[in-house]
Amino acid sequence: MQQHPHGPGSPVPVQTRNERFASAAHDDFPAVTGRELEWKLTPVEKIRDLIDGELDGSAFPAEVSSAPGVTVEWVAMDDARVGSAGLAEERAAANAWSSAQQALTVTLTSEEAVAVTIDRAGADRAPRAAHTVITAAPNARGIVVIDNRGSARLTENVEIVAGAGSDLTVVSLQEWDAESVHLSSQFARVDKDARLKHVVVSLGGAIVRVKPSVHLAGSAADGQLLGLYFADSGQHLEQRVYVHHIAPQTISRVTYKGALNGAGARTVWVGDVLIGRDATGTDSYEQNRNLVLSDGTRADSIPNLEIETGDIAGAGHASATGRFDDEQLFYLRSRGIDEQEARRLVVLGFLLEVVQKIGAPELEQRLIAAIETELDAVAVV
Amino acid sequence: MATLEIRDLHVSIETDQGSKEILRGVNLTINSGETHAIMGPNGSGKSTLAYTIAGHPRYTVDSGSITLDGADVLAMSIDERARAGLFLAMQYPVEIPGVTVSNFLRTAKTALDGEAPALRSWIKDLRGSMEALRMDSSFAERNVNEGFSGGEKKRHEIVQLELLKPSIAVLDETDSGLDVDALKIVSEGVNRVKENTGLGVLLITHYTRILRYITPDFVHVFVDGRVAEEGGPELAERLENEGYDRYLTGSTVG
Ligand SMILES: Nc1ncnc2c1ncn2[C@@H]1O[C@H](COP(=O)(O)OP(=O)(O)OP(=O)(O)O)[C@@H](O)[C@H]1O
Ligand SMILES: [Mg+2]
């Protein structure tokens, strides 16, 4: 596999993220032309209705599992919790923000680890808006899985607050049906000594665009951002990651891995890391790797690293997109494993590296099965 | 009883400057139970021979033959060769992220036998072999060769040799990078497999040290893509003292 590691000093295109305009009002953003940095890798013509059209802002159907120390409420958009982790940074997110009539709030207060599932089995094909706020109170621990299945045409904002000393995992799982379109801006604020593990898994849907932006706001806040995607023929899976190191001694690790198979399979990964002026002693590393399984695919992989302080513990990034590693296949086959099985092992292993880091055994098993199903469709080249 | 026969083998590789001939007429016959040592200077084509036997796609066979008990090895795919009984312990074992050693070994064993091994005896065999090669049991749950030290990778190759039970094995510099204790452990492993299965061994090495533990029946001096001289164990001693100068004068190097 080809490697393009850059050191922090190497010339990398830089886009200043902290000056990006944010607002809850759709009209505050200029019309989208499709040439903007934000949109130029996205098939905007296919999502005009979500960017600019009228949206159904009623509650997006979801069932939330109950667990001790977890409160679930639908609240009005003027509730204090709304806007506590971020604000829309582009027009589709703002359209969702201004259209949503209520927000689903899930609040974790238990210091014993709890598991919550926001089960979304989909809706009709009408364009919709949604707003969700997931909060871990100080020192709370738990995992929240947003389990997206069925059909949807959805633009949404998800806010995540990891209070001081909390340990929160949020998984956004996209297993939509083949026609679904999903735009999801996810804003996280990680307070002092808190740990957030944020996981994006995109397997199903025609167009899925997830934008996690994580603000390490308190000292020693720790953000681990994981992503896994598998694009089949005709699928557009886009992930735009932003990590803002605001406070000193903050840590971030970004690991996104993708596989592409079939004509027109398309993935985008943009990873912006900004180490702010006050974020001294921070340590960050981001990487994206894509495995190309057939002809006719396209993977964009764009890391950006911007450092505003001279005093950091470490910062690096790597990005690689390549075909199968022939040496890996040779090694496996030289032990008697046939070509198809060897390829299956290599791809599964490649993606499992991310799955293994989620830390939720049941979910991991389910994802392995889902990836195996994807792999059944991969022809031996 | 298995016989690997290599006849007048010519092999080239594609380089940016065009095709380059590496092997120029190799002849070798290895029978079950025999140990053949191959020694030769860097770049003389030893690994090329090893990889060609295993079927690495980088190498093109221009002429000659490789047969295993008369069957045409060159017509077999990489995995078919392994299933026919060939094994290559690599000079540089490959790391495979996300695939655990235990999953890898079980998959390989299943592929070779055509059926999954009985769980209980398999676990016992795996543990036993890892223990014998002083690999902590935690290695079974680590990803294949990932983060292994050079010596650990080599020991892992011999664990595979022991569990997969080939009839003929090529060991490409398995002794390089081993400390004195590991060299002994690995050698004992190879000898144990030989004793138990009647393995035929083609052992590529730069050092006579390993040959004190694994006694060769034949020593072949490999120079410039072919066997320049053959002899018994005493030839290895002589090479250690005199080097390869004798073979290189008059021939073009590199
Ligand atoms: N891609 C390549 N381009 C050019 N030459 C190559 C390439 N691959 C191999 N060679 C050459 O083929 C020759 C044989 O290499 P090989 O690895 O078989 O040698 P070796 O005898 O195993 O050496 P060593 O003792 O160092 O392991 C060397 O001269 C090497 O430089
Ligand atoms: Mg070599």
Side-chain angles (χ1 to χ4, degrees):
Chain A
M1 183 172 296
Q2 218 182 339
Q3 302 252 85
H4 300 286
H6 306 267
S10 64
V12 169
V14 159
Q15 174 198 359
T16 301
R17 280 291 305 252
N18 58 338
E19 284 156 17
R20 190 175 280 197
F21 180 73
S23 166
H26 177 252
D27 290 344
D28 285 349
F29 294 88
V32 173
T33 65
R35 291 188 297 274
E36 302 86 350
L37 262 185
E38 172 73 44
W39 293 108
K40 67 176 186 180
L41 300 172
T42 311
V44 290
E45 294 318 320
K46 294 182 179 160
I47 55 169
R48 282 282 174 203
D49 55 340
L50 293 176
I51 297 174
D52 289 323
E54 200 174 310
L55 304 171
D56 178 346
S58 64
F60 192 87
E63 260 182 50
V64 186
S65 65
S66 63
V70 177
T71 47
V72 178
E73 277 175 275
W74 286 94
V75 301
M77 288 298 283
D78 60 5
D79 188 276
R81 280 166 284 192
V82 173
S84 54
L87 206 51
E89 291 183 356
E90 34 83 345
R91 207 160 145 111
N95 199 18
W97 203 298
S98 50
S99 304
Q101 286 151 17
Q102 45 191 332
L104 173 63
T105 63
V106 176
T107 306
L108 280 60
T109 53
S110 169
E111 293 186 19
E112 296 290 317
V114 292
V116 182
T117 303
I118 301 175
D119 191 357
R120 288 167 158 181
D124 50 24
R125 301 240 175 250
R128 283 172 172 268
H131 199 105
T132 307
V133 184
I134 297 166
T135 309
N139 300 315
R141 297 178 60 211
I143 176 171
V144 178
V145 178
I146 309 171
D147 189 349
N148 293 307
R149 286 168 292 116
S151 65
R153 245 193 124 72
L154 174 66
T155 171
E156 68 165 340
N157 293 288
V158 177
E159 297 187 70
I160 300 162
V161 177
S166 66
D167 187 346
L168 176 65
T169 298
V170 174
V171 182
S172 184
L173 174 55
Q174 285 70 241
E175 285 197 279
W176 299 112
D177 68 16
E179 279 84 55
S180 290
V181 175
H182 182 206
L183 311 179
S184 185
S185 284
Q186 309 199 351
F187 308 94
R189 192 188 84 214
V190 188
D191 291 344
K192 187 173 185 304
D193 297 325
R195 278 171 48 108
L196 172 69
K197 193 186 286 185
H198 183 273
V199 188
V200 175
V201 179
S202 291
L203 301 174
I207 299 170
V208 177
R209 188 180 196 260
V210 182
K211 298 180 48 179
S213 75
V214 172
H215 302 269
L216 301 170
S219 63
D222 181 329
Q224 191 179 4
L225 283 74
L226 300 171
L228 169 66
Y229 46 95
F230 197 128
D232 299 314
S233 195
Q235 255 187 320
H236 176 100
L237 303 179
E238 181 170 345
Q239 16 279 316
R240 294 178 167 259
V241 179
Y242 173 46
V243 179
H244 188 182
H245 287 261
I246 299 167
Q249 260 71 49
T250 47
I251 299 167
S252 69
R253 290 288 177 272
V254 179
T255 309
Y256 270 66
K257 287 188 146 191
L260 299 90
N261 180 57
R266 175 86 168 92
T267 66
V268 175
W269 179 84
V270 178
D272 292 340
V273 174
L274 170 64
I275 298 170
R277 223 169 300 112
D278 303 324
T280 53
T282 61
D283 184 4
S284 74
Y285 191 80
E286 58 164 351
Q287 59 168 326
N288 172 232
R289 294 182 196 281
N290 297 298
L291 190 54
V292 174
L293 307 181
S294 78
D295 292 331
T297 68
R298 178 175 162 190
D300 282 282
S301 180
I302 308 168
N304 294 305
L305 178 60
E306 191 181 348
I307 305 172
E308 293 178 340
T309 172
D311 173 18
I312 56 167
H317 59 178
S319 148
T321 297
R323 291 247 170 191
F324 276 105
D325 183 327
D326 288 337
E327 298 305 320
Q328 292 181 0
L329 289 179
F330 173 72
Y331 190 78
L332 293 170
R333 295 184 65 195
S334 78
R335 277 23 177 176
I337 298 167
D338 71 33
E339 183 169 6
Q340 176 142 12
E341 178 71 8
R343 284 174 186 273
R344 232 181 52 84
L345 274 178
V346 169
V347 185
L348 197 58
F350 173 80
L351 297 173
L352 276 190
E353 240 193 330
V354 173
V355 176
Q356 286 166 348
K357 290 194 173 115
I358 297 176
E362 243 171 68
L363 180 63
E364 289 176 14
Q365 286 312 312
R366 179 178 151 195
L367 292 178
I368 291 169
I371 295 166
E372 283 184 324
T373 306
E374 297 271 351
L375 283 175
D376 288 341
V378 178
V380 178
V381 188
Chain B
M1 179 75 189
T3 303
L4 180 71
E5 215 170 332
I6 300 164
R7 284 289 159 268
D8 196 25
L9 188 68
H10 290 255
V11 171
S12 58
I13 50 161
E14 287 311 313
T15 72
D16 295 341
Q17 287 79 41
S19 167
K20 179 179 172 191
E21 188 176 33
I22 310 283
L23 300 187
R24 307 157 187 264
V26 178
N27 291 292
L28 268 179
T29 303
I30 298 140
N31 293 304
S32 292
E34 294 177 355
T35 299
H36 295 247
I38 289 191
M39 305 184 80
N42 294 131
S44 56
K46 304 180 300 297
S47 291
T48 302
L49 176 64
Y51 276 124
T52 303
I53 294 170
H56 196 292
R58 186 166 55 232
Y59 303 95
T60 310
V61 176
D62 298 316
S63 62
S65 67
I66 304 177
T67 57
L68 182 63
D69 296 329
D72 184 1
V73 170
L74 295 176
M76 300 178 196
S77 68
I78 304 162
D79 42 291
E80 280 169 352
R81 295 176 196 211
R83 294 198 293 273
L86 297 175
F87 181 88
L88 169 60
M90 295 187 203
Q91 186 173 358
Y92 304 108
V94 181
E95 302 190 0
I96 307 182
V99 179
T100 63
V101 167
S102 85
N103 182 20
F104 162 61
L105 291 173
R106 196 167 9 85
T107 307
K109 188 68 178 166
T110 304
L112 290 169
D113 292 359
E115 58 177 357
L119 200 58
R120 194 173 297 176
S121 63
W122 169 250
I123 287 171
K124 189 168 144 274
D125 291 351
L126 177 61
R127 283 218 187 109
S129 181
M130 288 183 59
E131 215 169 85
L133 283 143
R134 310 282 155 79
M135 288 186 79
D136 190 86
S137 60
S138 63
F139 276 90
E141 292 319 312
R142 284 175 63 176
N143 294 333
V144 173
N145 294 325
E146 202 177 55
F148 288 23
S149 75
E152 287 163 353
K153 284 180 182 167
K154 298 300 181 72
R155 279 184 276 163
H156 179 219
E157 295 291 283
I158 303 306
V159 167
Q160 294 171 50
L161 177 73
E162 181 152 33
L163 292 170
L164 302 181
K165 300 190 179 19
S167 52
I168 306 280
V170 181
L171 311 183
D172 191 0
E173 294 200 27
T174 301
D175 54 338
S176 296
L178 293 181
D179 65 42
V180 279
D181 295 333
L183 181 67
K184 240 182 114 183
I185 290 162
V186 159
S187 302
E188 281 166 11
V190 174
N191 287 331
R192 192 168 53 243
V193 177
K194 278 178 60 178
E195 213 161 283
N196 292 341
T197 69
L199 178 74
V201 177
L202 184 62
L203 184 131
I204 297 170
T205 183
H206 286 295
Y207 308 105
T208 50
R209 178 167 226 143
I210 191 171
L211 302 180
R212 292 192 198 126
Y213 298 112
I214 306 173
T215 318
D217 303 295
F218 307 94
V219 173
H220 310 267
V221 185
F222 209 77
V223 180
D224 204 16
R226 61 166 75 93
V227 177
E229 189 176 357
E230 290 174 319
E234 73 290 344
L235 183 53
E237 297 298 334
R238 188 166 162 200
L239 289 174
E240 177 122 301
N241 296 328
E242 297 176 10
Y244 298 108
D245 271 359
R246 204 152 60 82
Y247 304 99
L248 294 173
T249 42
S251 76
T252 46
V253 185

